């Protein structure tokens, strides 16, 4: 864990660069498609936040029995739990924060698009779009955290199965 902050820095940098580059392609999109992409990015942030919380609240014992039965994803789930602090940091801080930044960038593109198309007051459109992004993100994460604490085993097992399917170590 000695180089963990450095790894997080570079992971964040490259993920943000990729997502920001993709955001730049959104300026020519239909407003409905742009809104849908923005909502998907917010939902990804919420899902990863839930997985990060679940990785800290779930217990290993559930997955040892599953692993003994050779259920796919059980060993990966144990790995996620044993590295709960790293999983939480990546899911909550890296991916969650990047999704927040990208949704804000998409919101800026959406604001510019609406302002130009409707010849509307940019201030009010900015307030409306920013408020919508904030409400969806903060409200979604609040609900997601409650679900993650109640369904932590299911969420960790879901992440473990994805990790198993994608052969991620």
């Amino acid at each position: 864990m000695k180089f963990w902050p450095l790894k997080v820095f570079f992971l964040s940098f490259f993920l943000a660069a990729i997502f920001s580059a993709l955001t730049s392609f959104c300026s020519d999109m239909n407003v409905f498609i742009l809104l849908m992409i923005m909502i998907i990015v917010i939902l990804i942030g919420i899902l990863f936040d839930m997985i990060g919380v679940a990785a800290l609240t779930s217990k290993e014992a559930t997955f040892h029995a599953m692993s003994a039965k050779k259920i796919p994803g059980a060993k990966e789930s144990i790995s996620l739990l044993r590295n709960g602090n790293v999983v939480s940091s990546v899911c909550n801080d890296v991916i969650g924060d990047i999704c927040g930044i990208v949704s804000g960038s998409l919101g800026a593109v959406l604001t510019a698009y609406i302002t130009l198309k409707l010849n509307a007051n940019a201030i009010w459109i900015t307030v409306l779009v920013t408020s919508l992004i904030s409400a969806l993100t903060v409200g979604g994460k609040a609900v997601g955290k409650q679900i993650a604490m109640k369904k932590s085993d299911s969420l960790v097992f879901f992440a473990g199965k994805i990790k198993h399917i994608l052969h991620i170590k």
Side-chain angles (χ1 to χ4, degrees):
M1 293 298 170
K2 185 176 180 180
F3 296 105
W4 176 241
L6 193 58
K7 287 179 183 178
V8 168
F9 173 83
F10 285 111
L11 178 63
S12 299
F13 180 84
F14 289 113
L15 285 175
I18 290 166
F19 284 123
S20 293
L22 292 174
T23 301
S24 68
F25 294 116
C26 293
S27 60
D28 295 330
M29 288 187 179
N30 175 307
V31 70
F32 179 74
I33 293 171
L34 184 60
L35 186 60
M36 288 299 106
I37 292 171
M38 187 177 73
I39 290 171
I40 289 168
V41 168
I42 291 169
L43 290 174
I44 289 169
I46 292 168
L47 175 65
F48 274 89
D49 194 65
M50 290 171 67
I51 292 169
V53 169
L56 293 175
T57 58
S58 188
K59 304 292 180 229
E60 261 188 65
T62 306
F63 301 103
H64 286 292
M66 295 168 79
S67 182
K69 295 178 185 174
K70 305 220 184 288
I71 296 173
K75 285 183 182 178
E76 292 81 0
S77 298
I78 292 169
S79 171
L80 290 170
L81 294 176
R82 288 186 177 167
N83 297 295
N85 59 335
V86 173
V87 171
S88 178
S89 181
V90 169
C91 290
N92 297 74
D93 300 331
V94 177
I95 296 174
D97 291 353
I98 289 171
C99 285
I101 292 164
V102 171
S103 66
S105 297
L106 290 167
V109 173
L110 183 65
T111 298
Y113 184 88
I114 293 170
T115 302
L116 290 173
K117 288 293 179 182
L118 300 179
N119 197 22
N121 184 331
I123 294 171
W124 292 112
I125 301 298
T126 302
V127 168
L128 179 66
V129 171
T130 304
S131 299
L132 176 66
I133 292 169
S134 297
L136 289 173
T137 301
V138 175
K141 285 186 177 192
V143 170
K145 281 184 173 119
Q146 289 180 341
I147 294 168
M149 292 176 74
K150 290 180 184 172
K151 303 285 186 179
S152 60
D153 290 347
S154 298
L155 279 164
V156 168
F157 188 52
F158 168 77
K161 285 194 281 188
I162 298 297
K163 190 176 174 187
H164 176 79
I165 290 167
L166 298 176
H167 304 289
I168 299 171
K169 291 191 178 207

